Amino acid sequence: MSSEPLRLGCFIPQGWRSEFPDSLAAGARWEAAVAVARRAEHSGYGAAWVYDHLQASETEPPSPVFDPLLLLSTVAWATSNLRIGTMCLAVPLHHPGRLAQQLACLDVASGGRLEVGLGAGSDPGEARAFGIAVPGLRERIFACGEAAELLRASWSQGPTSFEGRYTVVEDALIYPKPVQRPGPPIWIAGGGERLTLWQVARHADGCSLFGPPARVARKLEILASHCREAGRRPETVRVAVVVDCLVADTEAEADLLVERFNRHQEDRASYRARRLVGTPEGCAQQLQEYVDLGAREICCYFPDAITSDGLERLAAAVLGPAHPTPARGQGS
């Protein structure tokens, strides 16, 4: 089992899951999102993550949804040590060659703090609404592995020529190159056992999984098998678990949060089994189950990050007291 230390990550609200109070205007929501990143850094989190969606479900009034790379550029400016990452970029929404340049610029802007998560995209209807052609799931999954190859090729020295099944680049001058050499770590998100984890074993530095511990344990066994088939040691793949977190003073208050955020009316036990729910200490114990399986990255999504101090309380329970670090752009 890996001896790497645990790293907590925190998702930055972007609007797709209606995280912001309706009373906040778009500009105030942007400031509140960046403030979550500052709070995470102050509390000891090692990474700030964003997702990739174009629009929220229909609400009244409509919910603004912030672009992941633009938001990360602001987070890079507002923080000093926090790693920043995408978990994950929907490959069908981006041209990988153009994305290579954008991500290299972001790595430069952050001083070499970028991590790149790629995924097949979870909402083809969303892409079609914006006129983006979306192939079937199998093709989208294989496009993730090819995109990882193209990114690495683009971040090497010299002009880039690449001929893949989905993307062709010819003598592209992709500059600047990333600060990190040979480039930012690349993750592939998802737990598909035949295709996605096969791609992870061959193309990724890490994978992100979700679900209760028993499900994650099964995915890790299958990933290890794919790694061995590819001639790779399983421990060289960094494992992250993406999990919603609801932190409360008591279990009774936690039940109220479940009722509030259980958007799809899941059975309460099922809802809790796939999330960290309860007191800070209880959530820390649940989190430890994933660590015991070998996860060294827990990507925490707090539905109430704007209005509660749950992210601070979970960090204190898992990591101990925070050690503040000054953020760039803040007062001296």
Side-chain angles (χ1 to χ4, degrees), residues 21-83:
D22 291 341
S23 59
L24 290 183
R29 294 182 186 208
W30 187 276
E31 292 177 1
V34 175
V36 169
R38 292 190 180 114
R39 288 166 50 199
E41 182 172 54
H42 179 92
S43 301
Y45 286 80
W49 299 98
V50 292
Y51 50 74
D52 188 12
H53 282 279
L54 299 173
Q55 63 184 11
S57 57
E58 293 184 11
T59 59
E60 189 55 46
S63 174
V65 178
F66 296 140
D67 179 86
L69 301 185
L70 290 175
L71 184 57
L72 279 187
S73 69
T74 305
V75 170
W77 171 85
T79 60
S80 299
N81 302 306
L82 199 65
R83 301 285 291 180

Side-chain angles (χ1 to χ4, degrees), residues 14-22 29 51 56-59 63-65 261 263 301 303:
Q14 291 167 258
W16 178 62
R17 292 181 64 174
S18 302
E19 303 100 326
F20 299 100
D22 291 341
R29 294 182 186 208
Y51 50 74
S57 57
E58 293 184 11
T59 59
S63 174
V65 178
F261 292 105
R263 298 184 301 164
Y301 173 81

Side-chain angles (χ1 to χ4, degrees), residues 54-300:
L54 299 173
Q55 63 184 11
S57 57
E58 293 184 11
T59 59
E60 189 55 46
S63 174
V65 178
F66 296 140
D67 179 86
L69 301 185
L70 290 175
L71 184 57
L72 279 187
S73 69
T74 305
V75 170
W77 171 85
T79 60
S80 299
N81 302 306
L82 199 65
R83 301 285 291 180
I84 59 173
T86 60
M87 196 63 82
C88 56
L89 289 173
V91 169
L93 302 182
H94 304 271
H95 186 285
R98 179 75 177 99
L99 191 61
Q101 184 185 40
Q102 292 172 302
L103 293 171
C105 289
L106 190 50
D107 194 56
V108 169
S110 66
R113 291 185 280 144
L114 180 65
E115 308 206 3
V116 179
L118 304 174
S122 61
D123 189 354
E126 177 185 53
R128 285 192 289 267
F130 282 77
I132 300 171
V134 178
L137 179 59
R138 179 185 178 87
E139 296 299 302
R140 303 200 313 269
I141 291 172
F142 276 93
C144 290
E146 183 176 294
E149 290 185 43
L150 175 53
L151 291 178
R152 292 195 177 97
S154 300
W155 295 335
S156 64
Q157 298 298 322
T160 301
S161 292
F162 182 93
E163 184 173 354
R165 182 174 179 179
Y166 309 100
T167 307
V168 175
V169 173
E170 185 175 353
D171 292 331
L173 298 176
I174 297 176
Y175 292 94
K177 301 301 182 184
V179 172
Q180 298 177 86
R181 306 305 298 157
I186 296 177
W187 304 70
I188 292 179
E193 297 176 2
R194 290 189 305 108
L195 300 181
T196 303
L197 295 180
W198 187 94
Q199 295 287 317
V200 169
R202 286 155 178 78
H203 299 293
D205 299 300
C207 71
S208 65
L209 305 170
F210 65 91
R215 181 181 188 274
V216 171
R218 172 179 168 78
K219 303 299 182 184
L220 291 177
E221 290 178 1
I222 293 168
L223 174 61
S225 177
H226 283 308
C227 285
R228 286 190 287 268
E229 289 175 5
R232 181 177 184 182
R233 292 183 292 115
E235 62 269 21
T236 64
V237 178
R238 189 172 176 90
V239 176
V241 173
V242 176
V243 61
D244 286 13
C245 305
L246 294 172
V247 181
D249 288 328
T250 66
E251 288 299 319
E253 291 180 10
D255 284 338
L256 294 177
L257 289 176
V258 170
E259 292 180 11
R260 177 183 172 190
F261 292 105
N262 188 356
R263 298 184 301 164
H264 303 295
Q265 304 303 309
E266 295 179 54
D267 172 76
R268 180 182 295 178
S270 174
Y271 183 94
R272 277 177 164 264
R274 299 191 299 114
R275 296 165 176 86
L276 306 183
V277 180
T279 65
E281 295 73 22
C283 288
Q285 291 175 1
Q286 297 163 43
L287 183 153
Q288 185 62 41
E289 295 183 52
Y290 294 110
V291 175
D292 291 342
L293 291 174
R296 288 299 175 266
E297 177 88 30
I298 308 296
C299 306
C300 302

